[in-house]
């Protein structure tokens, strides 16, 4: 749940930033920062601003993914117009004076303050240097899984596959035989299957392929559900560590999660937390498991 929360919050902020960026691109001075108080629309006595668009973009981040970015501002403006129309109608009916509404506003204030604190003191507190240091520490002694670059010649009958093995033992070129004899889709490419790791091929094929040394081919046909294979191990290697750009997002998310837990423990130590009523016993039981 915590991972889901940090991921959604991050994507929401990114969408909001892009909405504001679209506004800046439309401004006469392209270098000027967007004015968050700039009016976008008016509904009765209410004014919709650029800031409202940004907040709405955070709330509707997932829905916006189904809309082309060039239409985001129009969609959000329409949403806010409808929202304000209903809100003004609710105000006229004095719904804001009800106890239920006041309780809801107290909850919304708490949630908004939580999100603001999380963004400023947890998510934004993780620096680029910290992410790079964590990446270097995690992959300093990285041992990747084994991979091989294999080629194969797929034949329907076992005796024909054995004949191909004899030709290979006599010095025939594997790639040329694959182009001429293989019934598999990789045949025109010399039977080349590219690099693959364990778990990506059917078991019989994988066992035989990984048992070969680079440059070796199977001395007996390997039967699978597809037919009979003659397999060549062209090259072996271990998977390299992912590039920083590839791993950055996941590492940053993990650092944010760690920071979140640290801050939460600090705040718990400074404040009294008491679970009241029927949930108290369950809370104590959960705490004792830690």
């Amino acid at each position: 749940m915590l991972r889901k929360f940090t991921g959604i919050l991050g994507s929401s902020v990114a969408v909001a930033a892009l909405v504001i960026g679209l506004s800046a691109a439309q401004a006469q001075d392209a270098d000027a920062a967007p004015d968050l108080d700039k009016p976008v629309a008016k509904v009765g006595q209410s004014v919709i601003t650029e800031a409202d668009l940004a907040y709405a973009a955070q709330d509707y981040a997932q829905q916006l993914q189904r809309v082309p970015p060039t239409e985001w501002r129009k969609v959000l403006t329409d949403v806010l117009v409808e929202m304000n129309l209903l809100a003004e109608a609710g105000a006229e009916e004095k719904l804001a004076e009800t106890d239920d509404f006041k309780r809801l506003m107290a909850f919304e204030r708490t949630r908004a303050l939580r999100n603001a604190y999380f963004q400023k003191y947890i998510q934004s507190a993780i620096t680029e240097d910290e992410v790079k240091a964590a990446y270097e520490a995690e992959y300093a002694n990285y041992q990747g899984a084994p991979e091989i670059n294999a080629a194969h010649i797929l034949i329907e009958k076992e005796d024909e596959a054995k004949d191909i093995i004899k030709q290979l033992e006599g010095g025939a070129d594997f790639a040329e035989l694959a182009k001429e004899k293989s019934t598999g889709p990789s045949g025109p490419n010399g039977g080349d299957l590219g690099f693959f790791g364990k778990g990506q091929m059917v078991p019989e094929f994988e066992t035989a392929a990984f048992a070969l040394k680079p440059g070796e081919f199977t001395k007996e046909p390997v039967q699978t559900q597809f037919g009979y294979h003659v397999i060549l191990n062209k090259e072996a290697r271990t998977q390299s560590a992912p590039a920083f750009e590839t791993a950055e997002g996941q590492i940053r998310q993990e650092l944010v999660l760690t920071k979140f837990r640290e801050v939460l423990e600090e705040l718990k130590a400074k404040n009294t937390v008491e679970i009241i009523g029927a949930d108290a016993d369950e809370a104590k039981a959960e705490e004792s498991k830690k």
Side-chain angles (χ1 to χ4, degrees), residues 6 10 54 60 73 75 92 104 113 116 121 136-137 140 142 152 159 175 184 192 200 207 230 260 263 275 286:
T6 57
Y60 293 93
R73 286 181 61 82
V75 169
E92 290 177 3
L104 175 60
L113 281 171
Y121 294 103
E136 291 171 359
Y142 181 76
H152 77 139
D159 57 348
D192 186 67
Q200 294 180 254
T207 299
V230 180
F260 173 78
V263 170
I275 307 299
E286 286 295 325

Side-chain angles (χ1 to χ4, degrees), residues 3-217:
R3 286 182 180 272
K4 183 178 180 182
F5 169 70
T6 57
I8 290 176
L9 184 58
S11 64
S12 299
V13 172
V15 169
L18 183 49
V19 169
I20 294 174
L22 289 172
S23 174
Q26 294 170 351
Q28 290 182 351
D29 184 357
D31 296 328
D35 180 3
L36 295 180
D37 294 322
K38 180 181 177 182
V40 173
K42 292 182 179 180
V43 180
Q45 301 301 312
S46 302
V47 178
I48 299 171
T49 66
E50 290 288 346
D52 294 323
L53 282 181
Y55 297 140
Q58 293 184 35
D59 281 348
Y60 293 93
Q62 291 186 337
Q63 293 90 330
L64 286 175
Q65 301 307 314
R66 299 191 290 269
V67 179
T70 54
E71 297 181 20
W72 284 358
R73 286 181 61 82
K74 180 183 182 305
V75 169
L76 291 173
T77 300
D78 290 343
V79 167
L80 288 169
V81 166
E82 294 171 359
M83 184 184 299
N84 278 267
L85 285 170
L86 292 174
E88 290 209 355
E92 290 177 3
E93 296 295 330
K94 301 187 183 303
L95 295 181
E97 299 175 16
T98 65
D99 289 339
D100 281 347
F101 185 83
K102 291 175 182 178
R103 282 190 285 265
L104 175 60
M105 286 300 95
F107 174 78
E108 292 291 352
R109 179 181 183 276
T110 299
R111 180 163 59 180
L113 281 171
R114 183 277 309 271
N115 289 347
Y117 187 92
F118 181 91
Q119 173 65 25
K120 182 173 182 179
Y121 294 103
I122 298 176
Q123 185 160 302
S124 296
I126 305 302
T127 67
E128 190 73 10
D129 287 342
E130 287 178 298
V131 178
K132 288 181 179 178
Y135 168 81
E136 291 171 359
E138 182 167 348
Y139 294 105
N141 299 308
Y142 181 76
Q143 295 291 329
E147 293 182 321
I148 61 172
N149 180 7
H152 77 139
I153 301 172
L154 178 62
I155 300 297
E156 293 182 1
K157 297 181 179 180
E158 183 179 14
D159 57 348
E160 293 178 358
K162 288 182 177 180
D163 181 64
I164 287 175
I165 292 173
K166 289 181 180 179
Q167 293 183 56
L168 291 172
E169 290 174 337
D173 182 79
F174 192 99
E176 292 303 318
L177 279 178
K179 292 177 182 178
E180 179 184 350
K181 303 287 188 180
S182 183
T183 61
S186 65
N189 195 34
D192 186 67
L193 296 171
F195 279 97
F196 58 87
K198 292 185 177 180
Q200 294 180 254
M201 299 292 181
V202 293
E204 304 90 342
F205 188 99
E206 176 186 296
T207 299
F210 276 90
L212 298 169
K213 295 179 181 180
E216 289 184 344
F217 57 85

